[in-house]
C-alpha cells in the first residue's frame, strides 16, 4: 500500500503528472483530505468502536452518494483492462484484473447489503467482520450527526483544494 498510496506530494505535482499518475495521486489526496476532515470533525468519536469503522464509513459514503453520479458505466469501462503503469507496481496482471472486475461489479449498482457481500467475500472478510460492518453500518446510517459531517465534507470539498 505504501507504494500505491504515496503521502508526500503537492497539487502542482498532480497537475503536471501523466493521467495515470495524476489519478493515483488525486485518489490519495482525496483519501487523506477525507480522513483528516473526519478526524477534525470527531466523526469517529460518535460512532461504534471498531477496527473496521473507517471502511464502514466509506461504505456508507458509497451508498449515500452513488446516485449523484449518473455515468457509472463510463467509470466501469476504465477498468476493462490493466494499464501498463499498474504493472510497474509489484502486482501480477491477473490480480490487477481480478481487482478491476470486482470494482466493476461493485460499481454496477447502488451499494447494498448484497453488493457489499460480494465485495467482502472477494477481499476475504470473515463472517464475523462482515456482520460487524453491517451492524455498524445500520447504526451510523441513522445517525444525523454522522450524516451531516459526511455531507459537509462533500459539499465543501472544493475549499480543501
Amino acid at each position: 500500500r505504501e507504494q500505491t498510496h504515496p503521502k508526500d506530494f503537492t497539487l502542482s505535482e498532480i497537475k503536471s503528472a501523466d493521467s495515470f499518475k495524476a489519478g493515483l495521486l488525486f485518489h490519495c489526496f482525496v483519501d487523506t483530505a477525507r480522513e483528516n476532515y473526519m478526524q477534525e470533525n470527531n466523526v469517529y468519536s460518535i460512532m461504534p468502536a471498531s477496527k473496521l469503522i473507517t471502511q464502514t464509513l466509506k461504505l456508507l459514503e458509497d451508498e449515500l452518494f452513488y446516485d449523484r453520479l449518473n455515468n457509472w458505466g463510463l467509470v466501469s469501462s476504465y477498468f476493462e483492462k490493466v494499464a501498463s503503469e499498474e504493472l510497474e507496481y509489484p502486482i501480477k496482471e491477473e490480480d490487477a484484473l481480478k481487482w478491476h472486475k470486482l470494482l466493476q461489479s461493485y460499481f454496477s449498482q447502488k451499494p447494498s447489503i448484497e453488493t457489499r457481500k460480494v465485495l467482502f467475500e472477494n477481499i476475504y472478510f470473515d463472517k464475523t467482520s462482515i456482520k460487524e460492518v453491517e451492524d455498524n453500518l445500520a447504526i451510523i446510517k441513522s445517525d444525523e450527526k454522522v450524516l451531516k459531517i459526511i455531507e459537509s465534507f462533500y459539499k465543501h470539498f472544493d475549499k480543501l483544494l
Side-chain angles (χ1 to χ4, degrees), residues 92-146:
K92 295 177 189 165
E93 185 170 7
E94 60 264 21
D95 292 336
L97 194 55
K98 182 179 177 185
W99 178 245
H100 285 210
K101 297 291 182 203
L102 182 58
L103 291 174
Q104 287 180 308
S105 173
Y106 186 67
F107 296 155
S108 70
Q109 56 186 307
K110 185 173 182 161
S112 66
I113 194 167
E114 293 83 16
T115 61
R116 286 189 296 272
K117 184 175 186 288
V118 171
L119 177 67
F120 293 151
E121 289 171 348
N122 280 279
I123 59 174
Y124 308 110
F125 268 40
D126 59 45
K127 289 181 181 183
T128 303
S129 295
I130 294 171
K131 182 174 180 352
E132 179 181 333
V133 168
E134 290 297 341
D135 289 350
N136 286 332
L137 196 53
I139 293 167
I140 65 174
K141 82 168 42 169
S142 63
D143 188 317
E144 288 302 319
K145 289 180 187 174
V146 171

Side-chain angles (χ1 to χ4, degrees), residues 14-52:
I14 295 172
K15 291 177 183 176
S16 64
D18 64 70
S19 61
F20 179 84
K21 182 79 172 189
L24 182 137
L25 292 175
F26 190 71
H27 170 90
C28 295
F29 175 82
V30 172
D31 272 358
T32 301
R34 181 207 157 277
E35 187 59 26
N36 290 343
Y37 188 89
M38 295 304 164
Q39 288 184 17
E40 289 165 7
N41 286 275
N42 299 310
V43 74
Y44 298 115
S45 69
I46 57 177
M47 294 169 58
S50 167
K51 67 185 185 328
L52 298 170

Side-chain angles (χ1 to χ4, degrees), residues 7-17 25-26 29:
K7 294 183 192 269
D8 296 320
F9 57 88
T10 64
L11 280 176
S12 62
E13 287 176 272
I14 295 172
K15 291 177 183 176
S16 64
L25 292 175
F26 190 71
F29 175 82

